[in-house]
Amino acid sequence: MMTSGPSGGGFIFGIIPILMFLVNVGLLGLGIYLLILLIRLAKRGIELLDLQIAEKRRTRRDDLNRGDQGGNEFL
């Protein structure tokens, strides 16, 4: 008859779930960090796009004020 005691098997089966939990917590933290970086990148992209649109409108307005119709064939 086998008795359960402080043999090596109990230690292994006790440490594996703890390691899996730590790995899951680490991956969750990494996922949240990457999400924050993605949101920051998207904000910068939107700001850059806004600046490009404003520059395009400014040059187009300046061209129309000068009476220069070059480059505005598609209006």
Side-chain angles (χ1 to χ4, degrees):
M1 182 169 165
M2 306 232 358
T3 61
S4 62
S7 64
F11 177 74
I12 295 294
F13 288 118
I15 196 79
I16 289 177
I18 294 171
L19 287 176
M20 289 174 56
F21 176 74
L22 291 176
V23 167
N24 283 332
V25 168
L27 288 175
L28 179 66
L30 183 64
I32 291 171
Y33 177 67
L34 290 175
L35 181 64
I36 290 170
L37 288 179
L38 181 66
I39 290 170
R40 286 183 181 176
L41 180 66
K43 282 183 176 180
R44 285 186 181 188
I46 291 169
E47 290 173 1
L48 179 64
L49 185 61
D50 287 342
L51 288 174
Q52 288 178 345
I53 290 171
E55 179 67 26
K56 180 92 172 176
R57 284 183 180 164
R58 185 172 36 248
T59 57
R60 192 174 277 181
R61 185 184 62 224
D62 291 344
D63 289 345
L64 289 175
N65 286 340
R66 281 194 317 233
D68 181 19
Q69 295 298 321
N72 293 322
E73 303 89 29
F74 299 110
L75 287 178

